[in-house]
Amino acid sequence: MNSSLEAIRYVPGKLLLLDQLQLPFSEVYLDCSSPELGFDAIRSMKVRGAPAIALAAALSVAAKVHNVRLEFKNGKELGLQTQVWLRYLNSARPTAVNLMEATSKLCLFCEKWITAIEAEAAGSSALFSADFQRVCIELLEQDVQDNKAIGRAGAAHLIRTLHSAKMAILTHCNTGSLATAGYGTALGVIRSLHASQNLAHAYCTETRPYNQGARLTAFELVYERIPATLVTDSMVSYLMSLGKVNAVIVGADRVARNGDTANKIGTYQLAVAAKHHNIPFFVAAPFTSVDLALDSGAGIEIEQRPAQEMTHIQGVPLAAPGIDVWNPGFDVTPGQLITGFFTEKGAVIAGQQGQIGFDLSAPKFEV
Ligand code: MRU
C-alpha cells in the first residue's frame, strides 16, 4: 500500500480531487478542472480542510487557464479573466483564511504580470498560462514542505517539554494528508512523533456532525498504521480525567493576531476540557492561517452548514423530522486557552520570552 494519501493531483490542465464524501469506503478521484467544478467540490466538501481548499481553488483555475489559453487574444485578457475566476472561487467557503490568502496572492500575481510583461503581444496568453501554472504548482509543493516543518517543530517542542519518551495525543477533525497537499498539520505532528518513536497512542474524535474524524482521520491513521483509537466528542473529558492524554493538537482555519483560533466546531470545548485537566493544548498551522488584519476572533465569520449534515448521516435520517437545527461549522477558541502554536517557522509558546498571551504580528519563535 502506498504510504501517503493524496487529496489533490495536478498536471497542467487536469485537477483530480479525491472525493472525501465517499471516504473511507470508496477512493474515487473527480475531475475538477474548471472554476465551477472547483467551487462545487469546495462548497459540497468533496475537498475540505483549510490548506486543501485554497490549493483546490487555485488549481481549478490553473487547469482552466491552461485549457483555454489559446482562445485568448493575449496575456492581458487571460490575466483579467483569471482574476474573475479567482474572485468567484474566493466565495466558496468563508471561514478558512487560506482560501482568501491564496486567491488574493494569485490576483496580485496576475496584476503584476499584466503590468510587467508585454501582456498585449500575440501569443502572450500561452506565456501567462505557463507562469500561472508554475506559481500554482509551487503553492502545492510549498504546502508539503511547510507541513513537514510544522511536524518537526511540534514534535521537537513536545519531546523537550513533556518529559515523556512516548506520549498520547488527542486530535480533532481532519488535518492530515486529506486536508492539505500532503503530510498534514496537527496530524503531521502526530506523524513526526510516530516516526521518531515518541508516540504512544493517538486519539481522534469522531468530530460531529460531519464526522471528519471518524471518516477521514481514522482512515489516515489506519492507512499509516499509527496506533490510534476513535472516541466520540462527548468522551473527551472522561478520557482526559483518566490520564490518557498528554497533549491536544488541532489545526486552524483562521487565527487572529491575539491567538484566538477558529477551527472545526468542538475545538473550543476540547480546549476548555484540556485547561481543566492541565493538559497542554496546541494549534498546528502554517503561518498563512494567521489573519493579521484581525485583532481578535470576534471578527471571524463562522460558516453555517446545511441542516441535513446534522440530521442525516450519509443520507440516512437520524434526527426527528421537523426539529430546528443550528449547525455552525466552526468555533473560536480564545487564545488564553492555547498553550502554543506549531508553525513552519517554529513554535510560538504562550508566556515565553516576556510575552503575555500572543501577538502573532511579532511572534517570538522558540529557539
Ligand atoms: O469543515 P472542514 O472539514 O473543512 O474543517 C476542517 C478543519 O476545521 C481543520 O481542522 C482545519 O481546516 C485545518 S486542516 C489542516
Side-chain angles (χ1 to χ4, degrees):
M1 191 182 267
N2 184 349
S3 68
S4 76
L5 285 165
E6 266 184 314
I8 302 171
R9 287 183 180 165
Y10 186 73
V11 291
K14 197 167 201 88
L15 171 64
L16 295 178
L17 297 176
L18 181 56
D19 183 355
Q20 300 192 24
L21 296 180
Q22 297 194 49
L23 287 175
F25 304 110
S26 306
E27 288 177 51
V28 176
Y29 281 87
L30 305 171
D31 189 334
C32 295
S33 308
S34 74
E36 294 74 20
L37 292 170
F39 186 98
D40 172 68
I42 294 169
R43 176 64 66 89
S44 61
M45 300 203 358
K46 293 183 181 91
V47 60
R48 30 63 51 206
I53 63 177
L55 294 164
L59 293 166
S60 69
V61 173
K64 178 81 176 189
V65 167
H66 179 84
N67 293 334
V68 299
R69 67 198 186 286
L70 301 180
E71 293 166 26
F72 281 74
K73 203 166 75 200
N74 55 49
K76 180 176 180 182
E77 282 190 10
L78 182 54
L80 292 173
Q81 179 58 49
T82 302
Q83 289 180 315
V84 174
W85 288 325
L86 288 166
R87 288 191 196 107
Y88 160 67
L89 260 304
N90 193 36
S91 60
R93 289 188 75 188
T95 302
V97 72
N98 312 57
L99 178 57
M100 272 139 242
E101 208 265 341
T103 56
S104 2
K105 188 188 261 173
L106 292 171
C107 277
L108 192 63
F109 166 84
C110 295
E111 251 164 58
K112 285 190 176 159
W113 195 95
I114 289 168
T115 45
I117 310 276
E118 281 185 58
E120 292 177 47
S124 60
S125 57
L127 187 58
F128 171 82
S129 173
D131 287 345
F132 193 76
Q133 305 303 309
R134 181 180 42 75
V135 285
C136 289
I137 290 169
E138 272 168 20
L139 290 180
L140 196 62
E141 290 167 351
Q142 188 61 49
D143 189 57
V144 181
Q145 297 314 316
D146 288 349
N147 294 339
K148 290 187 172 163
I150 290 169
R152 284 193 296 274
H157 175 84
L158 292 170
I159 291 165
R160 199 170 54 248
T161 56
L162 286 191
H163 308 298
S164 160
K166 283 197 178 254
M167 50 202 101
I169 307 291
L170 173 79
T171 191
H172 187 56
C173 194
N174 174 264
T175 61
S177 294
L178 295 169
T180 62
Y183 203 75
T185 55
L187 206 50
V189 179
I190 290 175
R191 218 180 283 271
S192 285
L193 287 169
H194 180 60
S196 62
Q197 304 192 340
N198 292 104
L199 184 78
H201 208 77
Y203 290 96
C204 63
T205 58
E206 190 181 30
T207 318
R208 279 286 289 151
Y210 218 41
N211 298 307
Q212 289 93 330
R215 289 187 297 112
L216 308 177
T217 303
F219 179 66
E220 289 203 41
L221 290 164
V222 170
Y223 196 95
E224 303 265 338
R225 300 171 197 267
I226 295 176
T229 299
L230 174 67
V231 296
T232 69
D233 304 17
S234 52
M235 292 170 186
V236 162
S237 295
Y238 182 45
L239 184 74
M240 289 178 176
S241 76
L242 298 177
K244 302 261 189 202
V245 178
N246 297 111
V248 180
I249 314 177
V250 298
D253 284 82
R254 193 183 291 242
V255 182
R257 254 197 336 250
N258 69 348
D260 292 355
T261 296
N263 191 50
K264 179 51 52 195
I265 190 74
T267 302
Y268 181 17
Q269 69 189 17
L270 296 189
V272 171
K275 186 82 164 179
H276 180 75
H277 294 96
N278 209 17
I279 293 168
F281 182 95
F282 298 96
V283 173
F287 233 84
T288 44
S289 299
V290 180
D291 185 348
L292 291 174
L294 292 179
D295 297 343
S296 78
I300 300 176
E301 183 183 345
I302 299 297
E303 177 182 13
Q304 291 293 325
R305 297 293 305 175
Q308 172 105 359
E309 289 179 2
M310 192 192 289
T311 56
H312 291 61
I313 290 192
Q314 310 278 45
V316 179
L318 169 89
I323 188 67
D324 182 39
V325 165
W326 182 56
N327 189 12
F330 302 90
D331 55 28
V332 178
T333 300
Q336 301 98 286
L337 296 180
I338 296 171
T339 310
F341 290 85
F342 299 143
T343 80
E344 72 280 19
K345 300 178 184 181
V348 184
I349 304 301
Q352 297 258 306
Q353 299 167 296
Q355 282 173 323
I356 298 169
F358 296 97
D359 175 5
L360 295 172
S361 64
K364 294 190 170 70
F365 296 104
E366 200 177 52
V367 281

